[in-house]
């Protein structure tokens, strides 16, 4: 029988550069955890589509762009210049009271028809 990978609980003062999977201590759901501006941040692991980011912003949640080991906070200019978060993923703050994003709110990749060029 194969050994299971141990679940890692993160200490609030643990420094980490890259977002890592863990579990929320309150709701027990899977989350991403990393340090940003000397604070431990928690995000829902599902990458957001443009609709998902809009829903998160309407709900008052911050959105973030995770690119490799770097974390960027999304703001109006970032959303305008790179609405799809090219090269990384867009995630939202974790909130135990809200369900994790699903359906059209989640980015499952883009097809050939997502560009501005109609192709004819």
């Amino acid at each position: 029988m194969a050994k299971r990978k141990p679940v890692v609980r993160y200490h609030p003062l643990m420094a980490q550069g890259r977002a890592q999977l863990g579990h929320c201590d309150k709701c027990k759901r899977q989350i991403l955890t990393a340090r940003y501006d000397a604070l431990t941040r928690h995000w829902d692991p599902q990458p957001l589509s443009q609709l998902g980011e809009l829903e998160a912003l309407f709900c008052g949640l911050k959105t973030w762009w995770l690119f490799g080991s770097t974390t960027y906070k999304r703001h109006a200019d970032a959303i305008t210049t790179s609405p799809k978060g090219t090269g990384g993923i867009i995630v939202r703050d974790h909130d135990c009271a809200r369900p994790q994003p699903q359906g059209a709110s989640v980015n499952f990749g883009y097809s050939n028809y997502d560009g501005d060029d109609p192709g004819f």
Side-chain angles (χ1 to χ4, degrees):
M1 189 160 119
K3 288 186 176 181
R4 287 186 154 197
K5 189 175 180 179
V7 176
V8 178
R9 303 270 184 221
Y10 296 102
H11 189 274
L13 300 178
M14 180 184 246
Q16 9 180 11
R18 172 166 264 179
Q20 299 185 9
L21 283 173
H23 290 87
C24 179
D25 291 333
K26 296 176 187 173
C27 66
K28 306 298 182 210
R29 289 187 293 196
Q30 194 173 37
I31 57 172
L32 289 171
T33 304
R35 303 278 291 176
Y36 182 84
D37 281 347
L39 297 174
T40 301
R41 302 289 182 161
H42 304 289
W43 304 292
D44 289 327
Q46 295 83 2
L48 297 176
S49 64
Q50 290 175 309
L51 179 61
E53 184 172 19
L54 182 64
E55 289 173 356
L57 294 172
F58 276 145
C59 292
L61 300 172
K62 294 178 184 142
T63 57
W64 304 81
W65 182 49
L66 305 180
F67 183 74
S69 63
T70 310
T71 304
Y72 299 97
K73 187 174 176 184
R74 300 273 288 173
H75 50 78
D77 290 338
I79 293 169
T80 302
T81 58
S82 179
K84 296 180 184 179
T86 307
I89 62 169
I90 298 170
V91 293
R92 70 176 195 185
D93 280 338
H94 174 69
D95 184 4
C96 296
R98 298 186 192 283
Q100 289 184 328
Q102 56 187 352
S105 299
V106 179
N107 176 12
F108 291 110
Y110 295 99
S111 70
N112 295 339
Y113 304 105
D114 287 6
D116 291 334
D117 183 21
F120 53 86

